[in-house]
mmCIF file of all heavy atoms in Angstrom:
data_model
loop_
_atom_site.group_PDB
_atom_site.id
_atom_site.type_symbol
_atom_site.label_atom_id
_atom_site.label_comp_id
_atom_site.label_asym_id
_atom_site.label_seq_id
_atom_site.Cartn_x
_atom_site.Cartn_y
_atom_site.Cartn_z
ATOM 1 N N VAL A 18 -72.301 -88.227 -83.497
ATOM 2 C CA VAL A 18 -72.712 -86.946 -82.836
ATOM 3 C C VAL A 18 -71.870 -85.827 -83.411
ATOM 4 O O VAL A 18 -72.508 -84.676 -83.670
ATOM 5 C CB VAL A 18 -72.521 -87.095 -81.374
ATOM 6 C CG1 VAL A 18 -72.790 -85.768 -80.654
ATOM 7 C CG2 VAL A 18 -73.512 -88.136 -80.710
ATOM 8 N N LEU A 19 -70.664 -85.977 -83.499
ATOM 9 C CA LEU A 19 -69.765 -84.816 -84.051
ATOM 10 C C LEU A 19 -70.222 -84.407 -85.445
ATOM 11 O O LEU A 19 -70.148 -83.325 -85.862
ATOM 12 C CB LEU A 19 -68.313 -85.168 -83.907
ATOM 13 C CG LEU A 19 -67.788 -85.252 -82.473
ATOM 14 C CD1 LEU A 19 -66.330 -85.794 -82.514
ATOM 15 C CD2 LEU A 19 -67.738 -83.859 -81.800
ATOM 16 N N ILE A 20 -70.421 -85.506 -86.199
ATOM 17 C CA ILE A 20 -70.855 -85.320 -87.643
ATOM 18 C C ILE A 20 -72.249 -84.562 -87.673
ATOM 19 O O ILE A 20 -72.368 -83.704 -88.515
ATOM 20 C CB ILE A 20 -70.847 -86.561 -88.447
ATOM 21 C CG1 ILE A 20 -69.408 -87.108 -88.608
ATOM 22 C CG2 ILE A 20 -71.559 -86.372 -89.812
ATOM 23 C CD1 ILE A 20 -69.341 -88.435 -89.230
ATOM 24 N N VAL A 21 -73.067 -84.893 -86.795
ATOM 25 C CA VAL A 21 -74.369 -84.268 -86.825
ATOM 26 C C VAL A 21 -74.210 -82.706 -86.454
ATOM 27 O O VAL A 21 -74.815 -81.853 -87.006
ATOM 28 C CB VAL A 21 -75.320 -84.929 -85.686
ATOM 29 C CG1 VAL A 21 -76.533 -84.000 -85.440
ATOM 30 C CG2 VAL A 21 -75.783 -86.169 -86.236
ATOM 31 N N LEU A 22 -73.262 -82.425 -85.447
ATOM 32 C CA LEU A 22 -72.984 -81.016 -85.097
ATOM 33 C C LEU A 22 -72.367 -80.285 -86.305
ATOM 34 O O LEU A 22 -72.756 -79.145 -86.551
ATOM 35 C CB LEU A 22 -72.079 -81.008 -83.933
ATOM 36 C CG LEU A 22 -72.594 -81.478 -82.625
ATOM 37 C CD1 LEU A 22 -71.460 -81.469 -81.448
ATOM 38 C CD2 LEU A 22 -73.772 -80.613 -82.152
ATOM 39 N N ALA A 23 -71.516 -80.935 -87.028
ATOM 40 C CA ALA A 23 -70.922 -80.292 -88.203
ATOM 41 C C ALA A 23 -72.025 -80.100 -89.308
ATOM 42 O O ALA A 23 -72.007 -79.027 -89.964
ATOM 43 C CB ALA A 23 -69.788 -81.309 -88.773
ATOM 44 N N ALA A 24 -72.952 -81.041 -89.373
ATOM 45 C CA ALA A 24 -74.022 -80.838 -90.381
ATOM 46 C C ALA A 24 -74.890 -79.695 -90.074
ATOM 47 O O ALA A 24 -75.398 -78.961 -90.954
ATOM 48 C CB ALA A 24 -74.850 -82.161 -90.584
ATOM 49 N N VAL A 25 -75.171 -79.499 -88.790
ATOM 50 C CA VAL A 25 -76.038 -78.377 -88.393
ATOM 51 C C VAL A 25 -75.275 -77.013 -88.652
ATOM 52 O O VAL A 25 -75.916 -76.069 -89.205
ATOM 53 C CB VAL A 25 -76.251 -78.407 -86.817
ATOM 54 C CG1 VAL A 25 -76.922 -77.118 -86.355
ATOM 55 C CG2 VAL A 25 -77.170 -79.643 -86.556
ATOM 56 N N ILE A 26 -73.957 -77.016 -88.424
ATOM 57 C CA ILE A 26 -73.150 -75.790 -88.733
ATOM 58 C C ILE A 26 -73.125 -75.591 -90.260
ATOM 59 O O ILE A 26 -73.252 -74.457 -90.746
ATOM 60 C CB ILE A 26 -71.767 -75.913 -88.143
ATOM 61 C CG1 ILE A 26 -71.782 -75.895 -86.707
ATOM 62 C CG2 ILE A 26 -70.871 -74.744 -88.683
ATOM 63 C CD1 ILE A 26 -70.407 -76.098 -86.070
ATOM 64 N N LEU A 27 -73.017 -76.715 -90.953
ATOM 65 C CA LEU A 27 -73.025 -76.601 -92.512
ATOM 66 C C LEU A 27 -74.372 -75.943 -92.930
ATOM 67 O O LEU A 27 -74.478 -75.189 -93.905
ATOM 68 C CB LEU A 27 -72.716 -77.971 -93.135
ATOM 69 C CG LEU A 27 -72.890 -78.036 -94.629
ATOM 70 C CD1 LEU A 27 -71.753 -77.157 -95.218
ATOM 71 C CD2 LEU A 27 -72.701 -79.491 -95.081
ATOM 72 N N PHE A 28 -75.433 -76.447 -92.396
ATOM 73 C CA PHE A 28 -76.770 -75.951 -92.876
ATOM 74 C C PHE A 28 -76.860 -74.404 -92.605
ATOM 75 O O PHE A 28 -77.368 -73.715 -93.407
ATOM 76 C CB PHE A 28 -77.852 -76.712 -92.011
ATOM 77 C CG PHE A 28 -79.295 -76.266 -92.402
ATOM 78 C CD1 PHE A 28 -79.886 -76.774 -93.551
ATOM 79 C CD2 PHE A 28 -79.975 -75.351 -91.685
ATOM 80 C CE1 PHE A 28 -81.201 -76.400 -93.933
ATOM 81 C CE2 PHE A 28 -81.237 -74.923 -92.044
ATOM 82 C CZ PHE A 28 -81.856 -75.435 -93.174
ATOM 83 N N GLY A 29 -76.344 -74.010 -91.360
ATOM 84 C CA GLY A 29 -76.395 -72.569 -91.131
ATOM 85 C C GLY A 29 -75.409 -71.753 -92.035
ATOM 86 O O GLY A 29 -75.819 -70.720 -92.460
ATOM 87 N N PHE A 30 -74.325 -72.369 -92.403
ATOM 88 C CA PHE A 30 -73.420 -71.711 -93.285
ATOM 89 C C PHE A 30 -74.080 -71.569 -94.723
ATOM 90 O O PHE A 30 -73.943 -70.484 -95.372
ATOM 91 C CB PHE A 30 -72.088 -72.522 -93.349
ATOM 92 C CG PHE A 30 -71.151 -71.983 -94.448
ATOM 93 C CD1 PHE A 30 -70.514 -70.778 -94.145
ATOM 94 C CD2 PHE A 30 -70.753 -72.680 -95.601
ATOM 95 C CE1 PHE A 30 -69.535 -70.240 -95.058
ATOM 96 C CE2 PHE A 30 -69.973 -72.207 -96.513
ATOM 97 C CZ PHE A 30 -69.254 -71.049 -96.272
ATOM 98 N N ALA A 31 -74.761 -72.651 -95.180
ATOM 99 C CA ALA A 31 -75.309 -72.553 -96.346
ATOM 100 C C ALA A 31 -76.534 -71.491 -96.407
ATOM 101 O O ALA A 31 -76.654 -70.799 -97.501
ATOM 102 C CB ALA A 31 -75.960 -73.949 -96.814
ATOM 103 N N GLN A 32 -77.283 -71.433 -95.431
ATOM 104 C CA GLN A 32 -78.346 -70.396 -95.312
ATOM 105 C C GLN A 32 -77.716 -69.062 -95.284
ATOM 106 O O GLN A 32 -78.289 -68.093 -95.983
ATOM 107 C CB GLN A 32 -79.192 -70.635 -94.122
ATOM 108 C CG GLN A 32 -79.916 -71.924 -94.030
ATOM 109 C CD GLN A 32 -81.034 -71.983 -95.153
ATOM 110 O OE1 GLN A 32 -81.725 -70.968 -95.272
ATOM 111 N NE2 GLN A 32 -81.135 -73.010 -95.765
ATOM 112 N N GLN A 33 -76.561 -68.910 -94.629
ATOM 113 C CA GLN A 33 -75.815 -67.616 -94.554
ATOM 114 C C GLN A 33 -75.346 -67.144 -95.958
ATOM 115 O O GLN A 33 -75.437 -65.974 -96.331
ATOM 116 C CB GLN A 33 -74.732 -67.664 -93.662
ATOM 117 C CG GLN A 33 -74.072 -66.338 -93.332
ATOM 118 C CD GLN A 33 -72.957 -66.435 -92.369
ATOM 119 O OE1 GLN A 33 -71.956 -67.194 -92.610
ATOM 120 N NE2 GLN A 33 -72.993 -65.670 -91.357
ATOM 121 N N LEU A 34 -74.881 -68.134 -96.778
ATOM 122 C CA LEU A 34 -74.458 -67.867 -98.139
ATOM 123 C C LEU A 34 -75.638 -67.309 -98.995
ATOM 124 O O LEU A 34 -75.472 -66.388 -99.812
ATOM 125 C CB LEU A 34 -73.986 -69.022 -98.745
ATOM 126 C CG LEU A 34 -72.624 -69.699 -98.277
ATOM 127 C CD1 LEU A 34 -72.134 -70.914 -99.105
ATOM 128 C CD2 LEU A 34 -71.520 -68.586 -98.232
ATOM 129 N N ILE A 35 -76.800 -67.945 -98.758
ATOM 130 C CA ILE A 35 -77.999 -67.404 -99.550
ATOM 131 C C ILE A 35 -78.304 -65.922 -99.070
ATOM 132 O O ILE A 35 -78.648 -65.011 -99.899
ATOM 133 C CB ILE A 35 -79.202 -68.408 -99.332
ATOM 134 C CG1 ILE A 35 -78.898 -69.738 -99.889
ATOM 135 C CG2 ILE A 35 -80.502 -67.807 -99.896
ATOM 136 C CD1 ILE A 35 -79.912 -70.775 -99.490
ATOM 137 N N LEU A 36 -78.210 -65.694 -97.824
ATOM 138 C CA LEU A 36 -78.509 -64.376 -97.216
ATOM 139 C C LEU A 36 -77.517 -63.322 -97.815
ATOM 140 O O LEU A 36 -77.925 -62.275 -98.220
ATOM 141 C CB LEU A 36 -78.508 -64.394 -95.705
ATOM 142 C CG LEU A 36 -78.685 -63.072 -95.008
ATOM 143 C CD1 LEU A 36 -79.992 -62.445 -95.392
ATOM 144 C CD2 LEU A 36 -78.515 -63.223 -93.550
ATOM 145 N N LEU A 37 -76.251 -63.744 -97.838
ATOM 146 C CA LEU A 37 -75.177 -62.769 -98.308
ATOM 147 C C LEU A 37 -75.385 -62.572 -99.813
ATOM 148 O O LEU A 37 -75.207 -61.399 -100.166
ATOM 149 C CB LEU A 37 -73.883 -63.433 -97.990
ATOM 150 C CG LEU A 37 -73.418 -63.534 -96.531
ATOM 151 C CD1 LEU A 37 -72.025 -64.221 -96.540
ATOM 152 C CD2 LEU A 37 -73.329 -62.160 -95.873
ATOM 153 N N ARG A 38 -75.790 -63.511 -100.515
ATOM 154 C CA ARG A 38 -75.990 -63.165 -101.889
ATOM 155 C C ARG A 38 -77.217 -62.283 -102.129
ATOM 156 O O ARG A 38 -77.155 -61.386 -102.945
ATOM 157 C CB ARG A 38 -76.354 -64.541 -102.686
ATOM 158 C CG ARG A 38 -76.754 -64.299 -104.151
ATOM 159 C CD ARG A 38 -77.160 -65.542 -104.800
ATOM 160 N NE ARG A 38 -77.543 -65.358 -106.303
ATOM 161 C CZ ARG A 38 -78.624 -64.882 -106.687
ATOM 162 N NH1 ARG A 38 -79.564 -64.600 -105.827
ATOM 163 N NH2 ARG A 38 -78.837 -64.706 -107.970
ATOM 164 N N ALA A 39 -78.256 -62.433 -101.301
ATOM 165 C CA ALA A 39 -79.363 -61.476 -101.334
ATOM 166 C C ALA A 39 -78.935 -60.038 -100.983
ATOM 167 O O ALA A 39 -79.319 -59.067 -101.537
ATOM 168 C CB ALA A 39 -80.555 -61.940 -100.420
ATOM 169 N N LEU A 40 -78.132 -59.942 -99.891
ATOM 170 C CA LEU A 40 -77.556 -58.550 -99.574
ATOM 171 C C LEU A 40 -76.710 -58.008 -100.565
ATOM 172 O O LEU A 40 -76.799 -56.761 -100.837
ATOM 173 C CB LEU A 40 -76.852 -58.710 -98.194
ATOM 174 C CG LEU A 40 -77.588 -59.094 -97.000
ATOM 175 C CD1 LEU A 40 -76.683 -59.327 -95.828
ATOM 176 C CD2 LEU A 40 -78.619 -58.011 -96.599
ATOM 177 N N SER A 41 -75.941 -58.783 -101.316
ATOM 178 C CA SER A 41 -75.031 -58.240 -102.367
ATOM 179 C C SER A 41 -75.931 -57.833 -103.626
ATOM 180 O O SER A 41 -75.672 -56.722 -104.145
ATOM 181 C CB SER A 41 -74.054 -59.290 -102.713
ATOM 182 O OG SER A 41 -73.239 -58.829 -103.789
ATOM 183 N N MET A 42 -76.866 -58.784 -103.935
ATOM 184 C CA MET A 42 -77.613 -58.487 -105.257
ATOM 185 C C MET A 42 -78.762 -57.471 -105.064
ATOM 186 O O MET A 42 -78.955 -56.722 -105.959
ATOM 187 C CB MET A 42 -78.160 -59.805 -105.821
ATOM 188 C CG MET A 42 -77.055 -60.806 -106.052
ATOM 189 S SD MET A 42 -75.980 -60.402 -107.323
ATOM 190 C CE MET A 42 -77.078 -60.358 -108.810
ATOM 191 N N GLU A 43 -79.415 -57.448 -103.965
ATOM 192 C CA GLU A 43 -80.531 -56.662 -103.798
ATOM 193 C C GLU A 43 -80.398 -55.416 -102.979
ATOM 194 O O GLU A 43 -80.993 -54.332 -103.198
ATOM 195 C CB GLU A 43 -81.706 -57.575 -103.151
ATOM 196 C CG GLU A 43 -81.999 -58.809 -103.944
ATOM 197 C CD GLU A 43 -82.513 -58.523 -105.323
ATOM 198 O OE1 GLU A 43 -83.097 -57.514 -105.564
ATOM 199 O OE2 GLU A 43 -82.373 -59.450 -106.239
#
């Protein structure tokens, strides 16, 4: 259960990295 919670946070962090790159580049 704890690893699943960590994976959900990791997914959100990865999506945030993509968003931050778009904000920086575009």
Side-chain angles (χ1 to χ4, degrees):
V18 170
L19 292 175
I20 291 175
V21 166
L22 293 175
V25 171
I26 294 176
L27 176 63
F28 183 82
F30 177 69
Q32 295 294 318
Q33 187 179 54
L34 292 181
I35 297 175
L36 175 61
L37 292 178
R38 178 185 179 275
L40 291 174
S41 176
M42 301 296 295
E43 305 297 335

